[in-house]
Amino acid sequence: MTSPDYTKISQGIVYDPRNGIDGEIRDIWILDGRVVDPPADPSVRASKTIDASGLVVMPGGIDMHCHIAGPKVNVARKMRPEEKRRGEQMPRTNITHSGSMGSVPSTFATGYKYAALGYTTAFDAAIPPIAARHAHEEFEDTPCIDKGFYVLMGNNHYVMQSLMNNEPHKLKAFIAWLLTSTKGFAPKLVNPGGVEVWKSKQAGNVSGLDTKVDHFGVTPRQIICGVAQAAAELALPHPVHIHCNNLGMPGNWETTLETMRALNGYRGHITHIQFHSYGGGNGDENTFNSKVIPLVEYVNSHPNITVDVGQVLFGETTSMTGDGPLGYFLSKVYGGKWFSSDTEMESGCGITPIKYRNKSLVHALQWAIGLEWYLLVKDPWQVVMSTDHPNGGSFLAYPQIIRFLMDKTYRRDVLKTCPPAILERSTLWEIDREYTLNEIAIITRAGPARILGLNNKGHLGAGADADITIYTPHENKEVMFEMPRVVIKSGRVLVEQGDIRETLIGKTLHVQPSYDLDVETDIQEWFEKYYSISWRNYPVDLSYLYESCVIPTRRGS
Amino acid sequence: MTSGSTQAHAPTPTIPGELKVIHDATCTFCGCVCDDIELTVKDDHIIEAKRACALGKSWFLNHSVEDRPSCTIDGNPASLEQGYDRAAQILTNGKYPICYGLSDSPCEAQRVAVSIVDWINGTIDTTTSVCHGPSGMAFQGVGEVTCSLGEVANRGDMILFWGSNPAESHPRHFTKYSLMPKGMFLPNGRKDRTCVIVDVRRTKSAKAADIFIQIKPKKDFEALWTLRALAKGIELDPDLVHRETGVEFSVWSDLMDRMKACKFGVIFFGMGLTMTRGKHVNSEALLALTRDMNAHTRFVAKPNRGHGNVTGADNVVSWRTGYPFGVNHARGYPRFNPGEYTTSDTLANREADCAMMIACDPMANFSQPAREHLATIPYIALDTKETPTTRSAAVAFAVATYGINTGGTVYRMDDVPIPLRPAFASPHPSDYDVLTAIEVRVKKILGIT
Ligand code: SF4
Ligand SMILES: [Zn+2]
């Protein structure tokens, strides 16, 4: 009898917060792509042993909010040839395809770069449902990581119509139908209601949670509350992912607080909250300041709410958003090229190049506000690392953010290069907190896995996917995290010290909640009246997913 | 790394002599990519194509399986295996291999073509470079304000066509998307819309217009700048405007008043704009005008793309390389330079030393110097039909027709991806099959795992 083909990661310093392991020396056993209990028979030997003594072992990183696939990302690639000529080039090798970088890397480059950074799962945060097929096609060309996407529905006509007619059962069935048809992962609200107003009039938008959306007569508050409730009843693994109204506007913190209240105690995730935590008024830059404190107080006392940060880094990047009116606003601020696209019945999109400068008070404040969020949220399980790639900066900046969080001297050194007025307008200088490695493991893997309802990810207990990153400890945490020693995906060694050893395509994570099929007739009738494609050509079938992985609902079905 | 491994859907089996109906089939004949066609199939013929326009009908109904070998080498029948081997040898022997065409293949096949080019450090280019390449470059200069075609149907109350003749090039454009539909906010359909057509000649489409504006040939740029100035409230000399554009100033100012007063304006533009004097500055002016109009009301623009899946080609090449067309991999990584890496240039400059032509006919359409050079280099051609290009190819593959014999995905001109529902099987392989087989051999020759 041949013994099973085990791989063992031996004697690493393991950080596995979900299982309460905080820097203990352990062996990790892997079989068929999963973490398993050590074999009961002590004489069983692993066929492959990775010596991790003196090295730090963590689950693979999970990026729960980035923009890596689909129409918006691809338009940004096309639109910015100028930034790809300078900077890093990605030649092909005998096992990898070539690619291009810039702020919006090509698909293959994206997959390799995530893997080389020790990230093994990533979620695109904003796919228009009608373009779901496109996102899946790109996913198949984005290797080395597992992927999923959130489905834009905060301005969907059927959603607003069901709320207007007070038909919550239709709303619930529609959300489930839409997620199933697109093979998506979670409902996403982007400037709920505001994008519809943008489509209907010049510089249109909603101003706050209680502005009525033309034609539908519903408010952003109703959309947020209605979708959160429906998602809770469907027991979705990640119920609702919210990009609040008024992103980037001075004084928008009140809208953000109202959004949290509008959840009525239902679970909800507020994304890139840095962009939504501003004081000041009437677009007046002179009054712009941090309002993290009142918001964080609310988060600290409401465990139903989680956030990711959307950290800004200094440098050039591309802003891309499903928030059409925001794209218009930013293009006027920065004066560069502007792309906007409205999608029938569903969503909008805005893209423009931007540059964050440390000498700009507003930009420096945005940077500081992001860090305040990480450092002021008490329970690290409620806050997740993100740059809203590429909006605040690239995902490649995560190691630098880790250093900001673990090293207050470094943080303050950078703060000193910013305009001094920043000290009165944010509390960052006074914060002494430094993250531990265990806390870093929470905000980059264990936490997002829990928030996303992924039971097999973000930990190293038996049954977990064998997505594992091994780091060489270093005083400078940026150095430690930017080039992992070994990256393992589904039990296979993909990267060693920055070099790709092997590639795979990765799974697509999606949901399939059950729903009242009778409502489908109503959806079809609406669809056939207004869409420009045929009803039967809308749903994405399984042939578009290289490897499908259905994540069960929180009820376990 | 495998690429494009999504399995293309095979047609449902046909029972000899019995009628089979395919609902919601997709026509790939023009950029409208109508996906509501009902095909009736008998054996290996489509005998009816409900809802298709005249062009679509002839595309479907005249399709018959060509009785010729699936593969020829130097004009002589050969086995597919021999063809694949020879193709891989040609591509790996070259120092400057190029691949061109792609706009009449599904995305699944396009992805494999880009893979091959990457492995052989070649240059990939699509027919975009000879039709809407200038709009692509204009887009890289100013961006674009646009929307999906359903938005036009539901909201567009002012529709302009500029240098575009959809009545002939996109026959169902008016009825399906832009003029006739009763939309959510336009319950009376055509009556709720104003249609303006700007062109240098009175085309067949002109009949559909409420206002037809005939400008002087090669004066699109001047006309567009007149409108830009009017949008910004800049004073103009009416006589000069008349002289330059060939149209009375009052016509332009009246048009601008209407444009400002509409709720959702749409400008469709065609090769009449992108391929006349000025090329990408014309497109740039049009995109900039659209952008400017958003200071007054909502306005969008959209190129009326031609070939069935040219938009898919733009997307696939972009997501894999970062650039939409004219991409060179000689240094091992993608570089973009239209005018240098575009096929008409790599041929006319005698740089390319081998080629792969996918569903395109440069031997019929390209400039004399380009054709002459192509005739001197070994190349592979994939096409559903015999063409001057397939006739002179070192290796020619007769391939099945996408959307009729094979499945896959195409992108409509507004970037909406649509699946294909094939009608009946072909004895010929699909372009996806051929390219995949070539890729396997190329990788083997180059020692790529
Ligand atoms: S309009 Fe174009 S896509 Fe539609 S049926 Fe006619 S040729 Fe085919
Ligand atoms: Zn985002």
Side-chain angles (χ1 to χ4, degrees), chain B residues 27-34 37 51-57 59-60 169-173 176:
Chain B
C27 174
T28 58
F29 194 74
C30 82
C32 280
V33 187
C34 301
I37 315 293
R51 283 186 287 276
C53 70
L55 292 180
K57 277 203 165 52
W59 161 251
F60 284 116
S169 61
H170 297 71
R172 293 183 74 207
H173 201 290
K176 202 164 184 293

Side-chain angles (χ1 to χ4, degrees), chain B residues 70-85:
Chain B
S70 292
C71 176
T72 56
I73 296 178
D74 301 323
N76 305 313
S79 73
L80 284 169
E81 296 298 315
Q82 288 168 328
Y84 299 149
D85 286 339

Side-chain angles (χ1 to χ4, degrees), chain A residues 374 380 383-385 405 435 438-448:
Chain A
Y374 291 109
V383 61
V384 174
M385 183 173 296
L405 300 182
Y435 265 60
N438 197 55
E439 287 172 322
I440 293 293
I442 294 171
I443 67 166
T444 56
R445 39 270 276 170

Side-chain angles (χ1 to χ4, degrees), chain A residues 97 140 337 340 344 532 544, chain B residues 5-6 118 140 148 409 412:
Chain A
H97 272 298
E140 205 182 342
K337 45 193 171 185
S340 169
E344 60 208 67
S532 64
Y544 283 91
Chain B
S5 53
T6 301
D118 192 17
Q140 290 170 342
S148 75
T409 312
R412 203 167 64 183

Side-chain angles (χ1 to χ4, degrees), chain A residues 65-67 72 125-126 188 243 271-272 320-321 388-389 391:
Chain A
H65 188 113
C66 57
H67 300 273
K72 167 165 57 48
K188 171 78 181 296
H243 156 148
T271 190
H272 40 66
M320 56 173 72
T321 173
D388 188 13
H389 164 81
N391 284 294

Side-chain angles (χ1 to χ4, degrees), chain B residues 74 98 346-348 350 352-355 357 362-364 366-380 388-394:
Chain B
D74 301 323
I98 62 167
T346 52
L347 286 176
R350 306 183 164 270
D353 62 358
C354 66
M357 301 297 180
M363 274 302 188
F366 272 29
S367 70
Q368 173 102 6
R371 278 183 282 132
E372 276 173 12
H373 183 63
L374 181 58
T376 66
I377 63 174
Y379 71 88
I380 299 126
T389 302
T390 62
R391 260 174 243 133
S392 315

